[in-house]
Amino acid sequence: MEPSKLKDIILNVKHPCVVKSATLLPWPCFQQSFAEWCEAFDNARPKLVPFEGCSTKNGVNPQWEHRRTQKMMLMSDIRKPNKEGRWDSFSYRNIAELPTECRKDISFAWCGFPEIDEDITFWIGSTFAHTPCHYDTYGCNIVVQVYGRKSWILLPPEAKLKPVRVPFEESSVYCSQNFYSPPSYRDFVEVENEVYHVVLEPGMTLIVPPRWWHFVECLEPSLNFNTWLPLSHDLETLISECITKILILETCKDLPAEVRALALNPNEESVITDDALKQTYDILQYLQNKKQNGKRQESDIRRYNSEYLSSDALNALLEECSEFVIPVSALESYNFFKLMKQNSLRFDNEADYRITDGMLNKCQIEQLEDLRRQINCCCSPSIVQLVKDVM
């Protein structure tokens, strides 16, 4: 399959697709087993790796990142049976953190993006390792499964999920629905007919178009690589995220550290400074000027044009490439509820209380709940849009 045609599909498709890419990918890691890859990592980096994880049991709320604890392990340990009742993950990290032997010749030239050989992220996880359901506010996501199997539940941008900004992570919008350990079906009664599902196996690539919701879980120890393609029409979203960040930082900056730690994702805690606020205001002003002047963004980040093919041209291209590119199938509501019933076996009614108990006193718990309501209200997409309109 010609890389240029695959590139056109990736930049224009509006529905998730799977690419049978095993025969297209020249990556050396596909010539190794997972055991051999882990051994190469440990030989090059003999120090223990800081994996993060949680209990395989969970309560009502999604398993947010601030609940994870660290465990030092060899990379090879991720493949061993887990008898501790927890899952572990070494994920959302740049490829530069891998030894040369483990990232040799990895690039996205095979799908039309030869310039992407550094801005690549890797994800390693044990069985049950997962990311709470969310959508990425920027760009298009290309995910290559190398080892193990990974379940992807996807919903379109218009799905009736409830977006939340607590915990806050720039560029990610989470939803309040708990796909990992749902206590009941109640939260899913309006989305059961909008669910798509695929299990990625080694050699498969998933194209996730902009703003599609996704809940991702390892079905067995696994490794995948991905890249996000910055798109030229991301300007409006960049402005929205700047406004959201300012609102949240202004609200959180004077909070007790214990409360703030539960309002922000762990990777965002260091941005609660006056300098970070000033920088965000400056970025917002810069983006506003670009929008008002109608100028293309001047940046060292390459942004790709998208949606440049007509529907007829895209459909013809998908038909031509149908041997390699397959749309992700809808999941019948019966099978979706069956999957949620299986996941509900992980529900533990006491889990949320055990996590909160000892971290916050009663007053702080009430303060956190008030903060959550305040932020989710003032940072809802409709309110942020009103702020943009006024600006």
Side-chain angles (χ1 to χ4, degrees):
M1 184 174 175
E2 296 178 24
S4 60
K5 291 182 178 180
L6 191 48
K7 179 178 181 178
D8 285 339
I9 290 174
I10 291 170
L11 291 174
N12 287 274
V13 75
K14 298 180 181 179
H15 183 93
C17 291
V18 169
V19 182
K20 295 181 179 178
S21 53
T23 59
L24 306 174
L25 280 160
W27 298 356
C29 55
F30 279 102
Q31 307 306 316
Q32 299 173 290
S33 68
F34 197 10
E36 291 170 334
W37 188 90
C38 290
E39 183 179 3
F41 184 103
D42 290 335
N43 288 338
R45 303 273 180 85
K47 292 183 178 180
L48 297 178
V49 178
F51 280 81
E52 293 184 339
C54 278
S55 169
T56 55
K57 292 287 187 178
N58 185 55
V60 172
N61 299 308
Q63 218 166 34
W64 307 121
E65 285 188 33
H66 61 71
R67 291 173 52 175
R68 298 178 185 178
T69 57
Q70 193 175 95
K71 180 181 177 183
M72 303 302 293
M73 302 164 52
L74 290 171
M75 184 59 70
S76 298
D77 291 339
I78 198 65
R79 298 181 55 255
K80 296 178 181 178
N82 188 327
K83 299 179 181 180
E84 299 179 16
R86 64 174 273 144
W87 57 263
D88 292 288
S89 176
F90 186 62
S91 298
Y92 198 8
R93 294 172 179 269
N94 187 270
I95 195 172
E97 295 188 40
L98 292 175
T100 303
E101 299 90 325
C102 296
R103 55 182 167 88
K104 184 179 179 182
D105 295 335
I106 291 179
S107 81
F108 283 78
W110 64 274
C111 59
F113 303 94
E115 66 281 1
I116 299 179
D117 57 5
E118 294 181 351
D119 193 11
I120 298 171
T121 305
F122 68 90
W123 308 72
I124 301 170
S126 67
T127 306
F128 299 123
H130 67 280
T131 304
C133 186
H134 68 286
Y135 70 79
D136 303 315
T137 57
Y138 310 137
C140 170
N141 191 2
I142 309 174
V143 185
V144 180
Q145 193 70 22
V146 180
Y147 304 120
R149 297 178 304 129
K150 213 163 187 179
S151 168
W152 283 72
I153 292 176
L154 301 118
L155 297 96
E158 66 273 13
K160 294 180 180 178
L161 295 174
K162 184 178 179 182
V164 294
R165 296 314 300 254
V166 176
F168 170 70
E169 179 179 52
E170 187 177 4
S171 81
S172 296
V173 176
Y174 293 100
C175 76
S176 63
Q177 284 88 341
N178 176 8
F179 286 80
Y180 178 74
S181 57
S184 71
Y185 299 151
R186 182 177 56 192
D187 288 343
F188 303 108
V189 292
E190 291 189 325
V191 302
E192 73 272 17
N193 295 315
E194 303 177 283
V195 179
Y196 296 81
H197 184 234
V198 63
V199 174
L200 283 191
E201 299 186 359
M204 295 170 64
T205 292
L206 177 64
I207 303 168
V208 184
R211 302 177 78 84
W212 271 72
W213 295 96
H214 46 283
F215 168 74
V216 189
E217 179 181 355
C218 295
L219 301 179
E220 59 194 28
S222 70
L223 164 69
N224 66 267
F225 294 94
N226 85 299
T227 189
W228 287 277
L229 301 177
L231 303 177
S232 56
H233 61 62
D234 281 341
L235 177 59
E236 287 293 335
T237 303
L238 287 164
I239 293 173
S240 295
E241 281 297 282
C242 270
I243 293 171
T244 301
K245 186 173 182 178
I246 288 169
L247 291 171
I248 291 174
L249 297 189
E250 291 282 14
T251 304
C252 292
K253 66 180 182 179
D254 296 323
L255 288 173
E258 298 85 355
V259 176
R260 190 171 62 211
L262 299 181
L264 305 174
N265 238 32
N267 60 337
E268 297 289 346
E269 290 183 34
S270 62
V271 303
I272 306 294
T273 65
D274 291 337
D275 287 343
L277 268 171
K278 182 182 182 304
Q279 183 182 39
T280 306
Y281 276 111
D282 290 343
I283 293 172
L284 177 59
Q285 185 63 55
Y286 169 80
L287 295 172
Q288 280 292 104
N289 289 339
K290 292 297 177 186
K291 177 181 176 181
Q292 291 169 1
N293 295 332
K295 294 180 180 179
R296 190 171 182 175
Q297 293 180 66
E298 298 172 7
S299 171
D300 57 354
I301 298 176
R302 176 171 180 173
R303 297 193 178 276
Y304 298 89
N305 291 324
S306 62
E307 300 179 14
Y308 50 82
L309 293 181
S310 68
S311 295
D312 289 343
L314 176 59
N315 290 335
L317 183 57
L318 287 169
E319 179 64 29
E320 178 186 348
C321 302
S322 59
E323 181 182 353
F324 294 98
V325 182
I326 303 168
V328 175
S329 300
L331 191 62
E332 293 184 3
S333 58
Y334 168 80
N335 288 324
F336 172 63
F337 284 128
K338 183 178 178 180
L339 178 58
M340 290 300 99
K341 182 177 181 180
Q342 180 66 31
N343 287 1
S344 70
L345 298 177
R346 301 185 289 218
F347 176 70
D348 177 0
N349 191 48
E350 299 298 318
D352 291 325
Y353 298 104
R354 287 198 296 270
I355 292 296
T356 306
D357 187 36
M359 294 179 63
L360 302 177
N361 58 42
K362 183 178 179 180
C363 180
Q364 289 173 329
I365 292 173
E366 293 175 354
Q367 189 176 17
L368 177 63
E369 289 305 310
D370 289 342
L371 175 69
R372 182 179 286 116
R373 285 191 291 268
Q374 178 183 346
I375 288 178
N376 288 334
C377 177
C378 72
C379 294
S380 68
S382 59
I383 299 299
V384 172
Q385 184 60 50
L386 285 175
V387 175
K388 286 172 64 178
D389 293 342
V390 171
M391 294 174 59

